[in-house]
Amino acid sequence: MSDDLKGKSNKVKVMYVRNEDDTRQRTGNPRTGKGGRSPSRQQEPGRRQEEKSRSPWRTVSRAPSEEDATAKATAPKADSPVRNIIDPEVIRKQRQEETRVYGENACQALFQSRPEAIVRAWFVQSVTPRFRETLRWLAANRKAYHVVEDAELVKAAGTEHHGGVCFIIKKHMGQDVSEWLAQSAEKECVLALENVGNPHNLGAIMRSCAHFGAKGILVDDASLLESGAAVRTAEGGAEHVQAITANNFGQGLDAFRQAGYTIVTTSSHAGQPLSAATLPEKMVLVLGQEGDGLTESTLKQGDVSLSIDGTGSVESLNVSVATGILLAEWWRQNR
């Protein structure tokens, strides 16, 4: 440092150079810098941005290149959740194995019979006191359940006639006729339904079967007996009836005949009157749809043909009503 900058005390003289901005911003002691406000704090946002733009470390925006876009698309995101890819075939199979059951009596009976079949459940608040045991079991076994408003339960059940509760369950699959015959009883009535598909009729039939002790129903499609409407109409009876299946309906009847069952067909206009008939202890009672009844080929397979005698004012009875009358007579004679 030059001696020209030293004073009499041999100390270095400090020279301050001010510009106009400093003069406006600094009003304190120029030597100590005290008493004034820091220029940096007084800078307006626009000026700070201008000075920042002159910095060599400033960030410069540019259009992304094709290489950048490719790298971004292929690079894994550390903070993004991992999505499990579910095979649509697995979902389809799952839906085939599950069905909806609703209605208070139907769901109570299902829980008492096979609670392990329940996958998920919905309840409205008003029915929960009557399902306390069910709710405790679901919680203990980590089964999902929801207490919801009526509108949400309508969506879950797919109907307004849900009775305040709905279960998603694993289907109770049909049993092959050979398996049924391997454990058949000495005194037994099995029902066989040809082309009967109305779920309300099926539900009423299952209810009558449960009441009069007919534990098996031969059908072409076992899933028909587990539709939501059929199970609800059965009012718990579905849990006491087993669907029986065969390669086709005719072969199923032949298998029962060979196992010692009497095949009893029904008709609205031909056959022996029920009031005068003696029903066998071990039989298959065959009924058809209301409109056309049994097919000719099935009628020919019958060992006995029955009709329900009445006034004749109507051509025929509802198939579920006819089933109840026939089963009641079999129960009366053979119980």
Side-chain angles (χ1 to χ4, degrees), residues 36-246:
R37 287 175 292 181
S38 172
S40 61
R41 295 183 182 178
Q42 295 296 320
Q43 289 176 346
E44 298 177 358
R47 183 173 179 181
R48 288 200 302 269
Q49 186 65 29
E50 181 182 353
E51 291 182 358
K52 184 178 179 181
S53 67
R54 294 198 298 266
S55 169
W57 292 279
R58 67 185 181 276
T59 302
V60 179
S61 300
R62 61 182 175 84
S65 65
E66 185 176 348
E67 293 180 358
D68 293 335
T70 304
K72 184 177 180 180
T74 57
K77 296 181 180 179
D79 57 345
S80 61
V82 178
R83 296 183 180 179
N84 294 326
I85 300 176
I86 302 176
D87 188 349
E89 183 65 22
V90 174
I91 297 176
R92 187 189 64 80
K93 184 178 179 182
Q94 182 179 352
R95 289 177 177 173
Q96 287 181 337
E97 294 174 350
E98 296 176 353
T99 188
R100 287 179 292 194
V101 173
Y102 46 84
E104 188 169 336
N105 290 338
C107 290
Q108 288 281 22
L110 190 145
F111 173 70
Q112 296 298 327
S113 176
R114 47 189 177 118
E116 69 284 349
I118 302 173
V119 177
R120 185 180 293 266
W122 290 264
F123 306 87
V124 295
Q125 185 65 47
S126 60
V127 306
T128 54
R130 298 188 291 278
F131 281 89
R132 286 195 183 96
E133 185 181 352
T134 305
L135 291 168
R136 283 195 293 267
W137 187 91
L138 292 171
N141 290 272
R142 299 181 180 276
K143 300 280 187 175
Y145 69 88
H146 316 274
V147 179
V148 298
E149 298 295 332
D150 184 80
E152 189 170 346
L153 188 51
V154 169
K155 294 179 182 179
T159 177
E160 295 179 352
H161 307 291
H162 48 65
V165 56
C166 175
F167 292 165
I168 298 294
I169 65 166
K170 291 288 186 181
K171 287 181 180 179
H172 196 185
M173 304 305 291
Q175 188 176 55
D176 188 79
V177 63
S178 60
E179 296 179 18
W180 177 271
L181 293 174
Q183 54 186 6
S184 62
E186 289 296 324
K187 184 186 294 187
E188 187 171 71
C189 178
V190 172
L191 213 62
L193 301 177
E194 184 182 37
N195 300 324
V196 179
N198 184 290
H200 301 286
N201 284 338
L202 291 171
I205 288 170
M206 288 190 286
R207 190 172 183 177
S208 294
C209 285
H211 186 73
F212 293 115
K215 298 180 180 179
I217 302 180
L218 176 66
V219 287
D220 286 323
D221 184 0
S223 66
L224 292 174
L225 299 185
E226 286 210 310
S227 71
V231 174
R232 183 182 186 279
T233 307
E235 294 288 353
E239 296 305 312
H240 302 280
V241 178
Q242 173 65 53
I244 305 171
T245 58

